[in-house]
Amino acid sequence: MTKVHPNVAAAPATGPTEEKLKSSAHLEADAVVLTVWKKSLLFNCNGFTVFDSKGNLVYRVDNYMGGSGANGEIILMDAGGKPLLTIRRKRLSLADNWLVYDGETAVNPRFSVRKNVNILNTKCLAHMSSTSNSKNKLMYEIEGSYAQRSCAVYDEKRRRVAELKQKEAVGGVAFGVDVFRLIVGPKIDTSDAMAIIILLDQMFGSSRRF
């Protein structure tokens, strides 16, 4: 397989390095470009490995098994293994509805992500809403096709704040759908954007369980 990125061994436990983005006219020039690999660094374990534009490891998911994690949850970690976000499926929910918490906490979720069930809006895949103050305020709407790795994230004012794109072939060798680019503008946190990617994979990817 074509090498995804070279610097895994020297990965720092820091946030993503910013790359000047010229390929997308929809996002600001200071957007962060991440390479997402749907593969865990651990043997015999599913997950995600995420690199910045310099090839440094910035995010990882190692407990992504059976569609919902080894312990019924999915944990997004930084390069050093520190839990950043914990994703849990909302209980007693008829639709795909997930709660996202800071760190490894199990109270006061930061936001929820719900699969779109409106058949009149076929472009929309999911919604992310704030759960603060017991009010579900819409934060972001995700549109496109996850199967084709072509999605856009819009805020409440319909500004495009992030994109998901296929990674370009290198030397004539294609990466396939398990390696793709996540382009994140300054109006959304990169860890929140990664939570969206993880949940899109739960809802529409090959790891879908429910």
Side-chain angles (χ1 to χ4, degrees):
M1 178 180 178
T2 303
K3 203 165 187 179
V4 177
H5 262 307
N7 302 331
V8 176
T14 59
T17 300
E18 292 191 356
E19 174 183 287
K20 293 295 182 179
L21 178 65
K22 299 180 180 179
S23 61
S24 175
H26 300 284
L27 296 175
E28 289 82 353
D30 57 351
V32 175
V33 180
L34 303 177
T35 295
V36 182
W37 188 13
K38 194 187 169 190
K39 181 178 176 64
S40 170
L41 293 178
L42 300 182
F43 177 73
N44 198 28
C45 187
N46 296 317
F48 287 90
T49 305
V50 185
F51 305 93
D52 66 12
S53 61
K54 294 183 178 180
N56 296 316
L57 176 67
V58 289
Y59 295 124
R60 53 191 283 191
V61 175
D62 295 328
N63 67 332
Y64 195 71
M65 300 177 67
S68 60
N71 300 311
E73 62 186 19
I74 305 169
I75 300 176
L76 175 68
M77 299 177 288
D78 67 10
K82 177 183 176 181
L84 301 176
L85 298 173
T86 297
I87 302 170
R88 298 182 176 92
R89 192 171 192 267
K90 190 174 182 180
R91 296 180 179 180
L92 305 178
S93 176
L94 296 178
D96 268 337
N97 201 341
W98 301 76
L99 297 174
V100 182
Y101 301 81
D102 276 321
E104 293 182 283
T105 62
V107 295
N108 301 323
R110 286 185 56 194
F111 48 80
S112 65
V113 179
R114 177 173 53 86
K115 184 178 181 179
N116 178 51
V117 294
N118 184 355
I119 61 174
L120 298 179
N121 185 5
T122 56
K123 293 193 303 180
C124 179
L125 300 177
H127 302 89
M128 175 185 281
S129 301
S130 170
T131 56
S132 61
N133 300 322
S134 300
K135 295 181 180 180
N136 291 325
K137 180 182 178 182
L138 179 66
M139 296 169 58
Y140 305 109
E141 184 174 281
I142 304 95
E143 296 182 355
S145 170
Y146 179 74
Q148 298 178 11
R149 303 301 191 261
S150 178
C151 300
V153 181
Y154 297 93
D155 66 10
E156 74 282 0
K157 296 182 179 180
R158 290 296 298 174
R159 295 174 297 192
R160 187 176 298 203
V161 296
E163 294 179 348
L164 174 62
K165 291 185 174 183
Q166 293 184 359
K167 186 175 175 66
E168 301 84 357
V170 176
V173 179
F175 286 95
V177 296
D178 285 345
V179 181
F180 49 91
R181 290 197 182 278
L182 175 60
I183 306 165
V184 187
K187 293 183 174 65
I188 181 173
D189 189 83
T190 53
S191 61
D192 292 349
M194 265 308 301
I196 291 175
I197 297 304
I198 293 168
L199 288 175
L200 287 178
D201 194 74
Q202 280 286 309
M203 297 172 185
F204 304 100
S206 59
S207 298
R208 180 175 57 188
R209 180 179 181 183
F210 301 98

